[in-house]
């Protein structure tokens, strides 16, 4: 299969482009673009996720893209977009199966319009679930929003239903915080829709036949954390019933039961990083969190165990944003966090100022001094040795790929939309997009999957979280697996 994929992508490259960018390779790496496709449009935002097109079919990628930078619902950051959001599915061969312009009624932003590839009906092929708005004249008309599913092969609609209303008592900018995710109760798929981050929140679960399985509401004055910008899927007790981490709450998918509400009497605000991670030496699961909004509720950086009990914490003030957990060596996990004193967003991108960075041993909380900045970085295991490299692929990043010594391995350029194993090749791959509408898939041609990497790929949560990159800020979810 590996040779076939490389042959196909080589043919596509030869047909589409006469020249290929050259990487700046370190000794043991050979990082190259193995696939390149043009969207024939200027691209300011793009999200992507792997989509299963069926057994014995090529691997697929679903993308949502538009010419504007991501539009945020916060009224101090919102701007009027010039273009519209498009959905498309392409294959590992470089074939674009379909494109669909969602029109002026759909605001081109990840919080307004999440998408999620998921096989709810169990036929072996993912459907594409997204938040649509058929009212082309009123993009903020919440009453018109729909949960729609598309056929992954054709893009044709397979039906829709009203998008559940946001919980009452929201400000207008808080009302457009939408999530679509899902997991499994043993082998049964469960789709989840959710609304809210900062105040009242509501979560709904759906059965394969489309019926409502359960609803959970979290009121403004209910104890415990609000939501998060990330929504990872977990299975902390390994019982085959997956859970979602909604803020600092662990909610199982079978009945919507809250397994724990961590630090529930003290922390009432929202969090940025919610990152489950696994100590493979002991089999113990943990959750690393960073907390936004500078309020007098310490601590700001916290790691919990699988029962929601605090293992270690740090920092007592500040707006702590971004960060991740990554495998920085054999049996070694590193967690990072960034304190941000001011930020803004507009058509030219997202700007952070007055940054202060922190790094820790993820299990013990022992502070670390890294030889490089982790700002705008994403962990990815390109060579398959079970240790992550870092790519500066966040919006505004320069596309460098480095190792843990800070040595540059390659420069992929552009912005990273996926960093996982989405092609049947050794190692993980990068999907990178450029402002001129060029998409590239980068892979290490010298990669070999070792035991540690294979253990990561075989973890059921790998696939569950891999498909979440079209929703919220879930690009770095896989670092702790």
């Amino acid at each position: 299969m590996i040779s076939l994929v490389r042959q196909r992508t080589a043919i596509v490259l030869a047909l589409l482009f006469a020249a290929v960018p050259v990487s700046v390779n370190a000794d043991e790496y050979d990082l190259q673009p193995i696939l390149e496709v043009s969207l024939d449009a200027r691209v300011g935002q793009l999200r992507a996720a792997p989509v299963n097109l069926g057994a014995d079919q090529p691997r697929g990628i679903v993308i949502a893209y538009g010419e504007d930078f991501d539009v945020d619902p916060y009224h101090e950051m919102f701007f009027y977009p010039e273009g519209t959001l498009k959905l498309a599915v392409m294959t590992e061969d470089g074939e674009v199966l379909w494109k669909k312009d969602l029109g002026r009624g759909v605001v081109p932003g990840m919080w307004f319009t999440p998408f999620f590839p998921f096989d709810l009906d169990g036929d072996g092929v993912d459907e594409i679930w997204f938040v649509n708005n058929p009212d082309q004249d009123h993009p903020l008309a919440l009453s018109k929003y729909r949960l729609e599913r598309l056929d992954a092969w054709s893009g044709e609609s397979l039906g829709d239903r009203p998008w559940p209303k946001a919980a009452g008592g929201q400000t207008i900018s808080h009302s457009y915080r939408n999530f679509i995710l899902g997991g499994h109760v043993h082998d049964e798929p469960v789709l989840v829709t959710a609304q809210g981050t900062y105040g009242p929140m509501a979560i709904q679960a759906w059965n394969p036949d489309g019926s409502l399985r359960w609803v959970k509401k979290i009121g403004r004055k209910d104890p415990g954390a609000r939501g998060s910008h990330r929504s990872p899927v977990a299975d902390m007790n390994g019982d085959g019933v997956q859970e979602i981490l909604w803020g600092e709450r662990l909610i199982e998918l079978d009945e919507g039961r809250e397994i724990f509400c961590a630090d529930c009497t003290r922390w009432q605000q929202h969090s940025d990083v919610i990152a489950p991670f696994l100590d493979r030496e002991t089999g113990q699961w943990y959750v690393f969190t960073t907390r936004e909004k500078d309020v007098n509720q310490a601590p700001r950086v916290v790691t919990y165990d699988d029962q929601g009990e605090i293992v270690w914490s740090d920092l007592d003030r500040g707006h702590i944003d971004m960060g991740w957990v990554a495998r920085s060596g054999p049996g070694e996990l590193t967690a990072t966090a960034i304190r941000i004193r001011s930020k803004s967003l507009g058509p030219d991108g997202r700007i952070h100022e007055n940054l202060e960075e922190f790094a820790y041993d993820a299990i013990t909380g022992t502070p670390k001094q890294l030889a490089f900045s982790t700002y705008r970085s994403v962990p990815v295991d390109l060579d398959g040795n079970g240790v992550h490299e870092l790519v500066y692929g966040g919006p505004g990043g320069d596309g460098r790929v480095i190792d843990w010594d800070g040595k540059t391995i390659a420069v992929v350029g552009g912005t990273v939309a996926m960093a996982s194993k989405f092609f049947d090749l050794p190692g993980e791959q990068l999907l990178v997009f450029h402002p001129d509408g060029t998409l590239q898939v980068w892979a290490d041609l010298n990669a070999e999957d070792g035991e540690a990497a294979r253990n990561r790929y075989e973890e059921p949560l790998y696939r569950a979280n891999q498909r979440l990159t079209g929703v919220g800020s879930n690009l770095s979810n896989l670092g702790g697996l």
Side-chain angles (χ1 to χ4, degrees), residues 335-357:
T336 66
I338 298 179
R339 179 152 50 200
I340 297 176
R341 302 195 185 277
S342 65
K343 62 181 177 180
S344 60
L345 182 148
D348 296 327
R350 186 176 285 106
I351 299 171
H352 301 108
E353 296 178 313
N354 300 318
L355 308 182
E356 187 177 2
E357 300 191 30

Side-chain angles (χ1 to χ4, degrees), residues 30-31 50 78 105-106 135-136 139 232 264 302 329 347 363 416 418 448:
D30 186 12
L31 192 62
F78 179 86
V106 172
D135 188 339
Q136 298 294 300
C264 203
V302 184
I363 296 173
V416 173
M418 285 199 298
E448 295 182 10

Side-chain angles (χ1 to χ4, degrees), residues 251-271:
I251 301 170
E252 55 87 23
L253 289 181
D254 188 14
E255 299 175 346
R257 178 173 55 91
E258 193 170 276
I259 296 175
F260 67 68
C261 174
D263 209 8
C264 203
T265 60
R266 180 170 50 171
W267 180 242
Q268 307 290 317
Q269 302 295 331
H270 76 285
S271 309

